[in-house]
Amino acid sequence: MTKRRLLYLPIETKARELLGKTFLAARAVERGWIVVMGAHADTRKFMLDHPAGVYVETNIPDAKAARLEQVHAAGHRIVNLCEESIVYADGRDYCTRKLGLDSLRWTDMLLVPGERNAEHIHTYRPECGDKVAITGNPRFDTLLPGVRCVYNHEAEAIRETFGRFILVNTNFGRPNPFRPADDPVAKLIARGMIAEGSEADFIRRHVDFKRWQMQGLQDLLRDLAASGSVEKIVIRPHPVENHDVWREWGKPLNIDVRFEGSANNWMMAADAVVHPGCTTGIEGLLLDRAVFSYVPDADSEFIGEQDRASVCVSNAEELSNGLARVRGLDQQDVRKGLTAQRERLRRSVVNVEQPFAADRILDNVDRLDMRPVRLDEVGVGGGFLSRLLRVGRRGAPQPSNAKKDERTIQKFPGVAEEEIRAPLAQWADAAILSQAPQITRFHDRLWVLH
């Protein structure tokens, strides 16, 4: 049986990462990798009991140092592909919270989205500058012309259900946490991610700004709904927010609150996108949508590239006027008008066009020296060793028995097999992939592409 290298690819938030990491996994299979992919806890549990491979972590604060040391001791190589390395207000704060010095000891490579993030790492984590590789992020690969075909079917179904609407993607995890009693500053201090003093003060300022911005956005949307200038408003809360807060607020205003599916499906279906400093501002730009950012104070320290990639508005009248200007424009007209913004964005996200981030990532991890393994060593196939592994572990891998609260389920509710097979088949039909990889599904939180 042919031996291949092994890639472990965990997913923290399904709606944000599933399609991008499925695309990365498929490109890896084309290069001869075996890919184990699934929910973060389930993937990590599986890999500690199976052959060594390259483990793609989602962020590496010092709270994870002991865990990463365990992964490293098991023979795995660790690379970091942080999903929050595009949208942040301050480079020092980002490095303090997301790149712990103890965790960096066990990390072989930092896969970063663009020059901006790389420069901040070189400035605030100079001891690991030689680990930085500018690759982009595969979640943005799926937004590019051709690859974005996977969103068309769901987008059309949404349009048929909702008609014409504007989509509002929120980003208020700190002032509107899933658990209302949570204190975001106290939690970060308790986890060792920040210290009391200037670091905590920065986060407190950010919480105050986001609380003020959330109230202002609600006022804007209330005025917009009352004006009758838009047919419908749909709010899609951030995965870590308390969605009930938005449902209760929106119900008397006849504003829908929805979370199912990918935000990209909803953006493709919408007439326009509104956000308060969210990564979806960048994603909407790459999807060639008209995107507006609610910016109550243009001089705030918390205004970032996601806002500058959008048309900034501060009240309902400015938004109504902006919507009127783009009404009736087709996607090509919108795309043409966004050329300068895409070029500006390149410093933050290198893969605003091909080559794909998936290929840049694989070019770098290909350099890591890993022992190739047989497919039956990961419990796939009918060979003697595969049967022995399954018997020794009392059958196929089972979902993690780690406690899954409602917040965890909201972030990763499980994946049906068709949610992986369908996009792979579409990319193969569009010649984005040479062929769709085979899939072995252990359960709804863990599977293997080969």
Side-chain angles (χ1 to χ4, degrees):
M1 183 178 290
T2 302
K3 291 185 176 183
R4 290 174 278 174
R5 288 169 297 172
L6 188 53
L7 186 68
Y8 290 102
L9 202 55
I11 296 173
E12 188 175 47
T13 302
K14 173 186 173 181
R16 178 180 68 187
E17 301 160 49
L18 177 61
L19 277 177
K21 288 186 174 172
T22 298
F23 185 68
L24 172 58
R27 302 292 279 197
V29 171
E30 288 186 324
R31 294 196 184 201
W33 290 79
I34 299 167
V35 183
V36 177
M37 184 171 74
H40 201 284
D42 299 80
T43 305
R44 188 176 67 253
K45 178 184 176 183
F46 181 89
M47 66 182 284
L48 290 174
D49 203 24
H50 285 82
V54 176
Y55 175 55
V56 184
E57 183 55 279
T58 55
N59 60 72
I60 53 169
D62 273 338
K64 290 186 178 180
R67 177 191 302 172
L68 295 177
E69 182 179 6
Q70 180 188 27
V71 170
H72 185 271
H76 300 281
R77 307 293 292 272
I78 301 168
V79 302
N80 185 52
L81 178 67
C82 180
E83 296 294 337
E84 297 180 6
S85 56
I86 300 103
V87 172
Y88 56 87
D90 178 83
R92 183 189 297 275
D93 173 65
Y94 171 79
C95 291
T96 299
R97 289 186 297 107
K98 296 296 183 180
L99 299 176
L101 289 172
D102 288 342
S103 291
L104 281 165
R105 293 175 56 201
W106 311 111
T107 306
D108 295 277
M109 194 175 292
L110 303 175
L111 308 171
V112 305
E115 292 178 6
R116 172 177 178 262
N117 190 243
E119 288 173 3
H120 286 149
I121 294 173
H122 284 297
T123 299
Y124 299 111
R125 290 289 185 262
E127 52 276 282
C128 66
D130 60 344
K131 296 182 178 183
V132 173
I134 298 175
T135 61
N137 188 302
R139 65 194 276 198
F140 298 113
D141 288 342
T142 69
L143 311 177
L144 302 181
V147 192
R148 69 171 71 136
C149 63
V150 293
Y151 301 116
N152 291 340
H153 177 73
E154 290 297 328
E156 183 57 36
I158 291 169
R159 278 192 292 268
E160 289 179 1
T161 300
F162 289 89
R164 302 189 65 173
F165 67 95
I166 66 163
L167 178 69
V168 183
N169 293 313
T170 71
N171 183 21
F172 299 112
R174 285 177 173 166
N176 180 34
F178 184 87
R179 303 177 188 89
D182 279 357
D183 180 337
V185 178
K187 286 183 67 174
L188 290 172
I189 292 174
R191 292 174 179 174
M193 296 177 73
I194 62 171
E196 190 60 79
S198 61
E199 294 171 2
D201 290 343
F202 177 84
I203 301 299
R204 290 189 182 99
R205 292 200 306 275
H206 185 251
V207 173
D208 289 343
F209 173 81
K210 294 302 287 186
R211 185 178 292 115
W212 174 52
Q213 188 184 37
M214 181 173 173
Q215 179 63 58
L217 181 63
Q218 289 177 333
D219 291 343
L220 181 155
L221 295 175
R222 186 182 293 108
D223 292 344
L224 188 68
S227 73
S229 60
V230 296
E231 286 82 352
K232 191 172 189 62
I233 299 171
V234 175
I235 293 177
R236 194 174 191 283
H238 192 280
V240 302
E241 283 190 60
N242 187 326
H243 296 182
D244 288 340
V245 168
W246 285 106
R247 293 187 185 103
E248 293 171 11
W249 176 84
K251 188 174 181 179
L253 301 173
N254 197 30
I255 292 176
D256 265 299
V257 178
R258 300 284 173 159
F259 183 68
E260 60 269 20
S262 165
N264 299 326
N265 296 334
W266 289 87
M267 287 192 284
M268 288 284 284
D271 283 354
V273 177
V274 181
H275 69 93
C278 180
T279 310
T280 54
I282 293 171
E283 292 167 331
L285 169 67
L286 295 181
L287 285 169
D288 302 326
R289 315 310 294 166
V291 184
F292 300 86
S293 177
Y294 170 60
V295 176
D297 177 7
D299 296 324
S300 169
E301 63 186 309
F302 301 112
I303 303 307
E305 287 304 307
Q306 68 279 12
D307 303 298
R308 299 182 187 101
S310 312
V311 176
C312 294
V313 297
S314 61
N315 55 56
E317 182 180 3
E318 289 180 1
L319 179 56
S320 292
N321 292 339
L323 292 169
R325 287 193 296 270
V326 300
R327 186 178 290 272
L329 296 180
D330 62 25
Q331 196 173 65
Q332 288 304 313
D333 289 334
V334 174
R335 179 176 178 78
K336 185 176 179 180
L338 296 173
T339 301
Q341 284 150 293
R342 277 197 306 276
E343 190 59 34
R344 177 193 175 99
L345 185 61
R346 192 184 302 274
R347 184 170 176 269
S348 296
V349 181
V350 70
N351 61 311
V352 297
E353 61 184 18
Q354 294 190 40
F356 296 126
D359 295 333
R360 298 174 196 255
I361 289 169
L362 294 167
D363 287 344
N364 282 279
V365 299
D366 274 343
R367 296 189 282 109
L368 297 175
D369 184 23
M370 292 303 303
R371 179 182 72 86
V373 302
R374 296 188 308 273
L375 191 57
D376 60 4
E377 292 183 73
V378 293
V380 176
F384 171 76
L385 180 57
S386 177
R387 291 196 300 274
L388 183 63
L389 287 168
R390 287 197 293 269
V391 171
R393 295 185 180 91
R394 298 181 181 179
Q398 298 299 309
S400 170
N401 59 6
K403 183 179 179 181
K404 295 181 178 64
D405 58 21
E406 292 182 5
R407 181 178 182 272
T408 300
I409 294 170
Q410 181 170 284
K411 293 178 71 176
F412 197 104
V415 178
E417 189 166 330
E418 185 61 17
E419 292 181 87
I420 301 172
R421 289 197 182 277
L424 292 172
Q426 287 180 275
W427 287 325
D429 289 344
I432 303 296
L433 301 175
S434 58
Q435 62 181 22
Q438 297 182 63
I439 301 172
T440 298
R441 182 173 179 266
F442 290 137
H443 52 75
D444 69 350
R445 298 174 63 85
L446 188 70
W447 50 96
V448 180
L449 281 75
H450 53 94

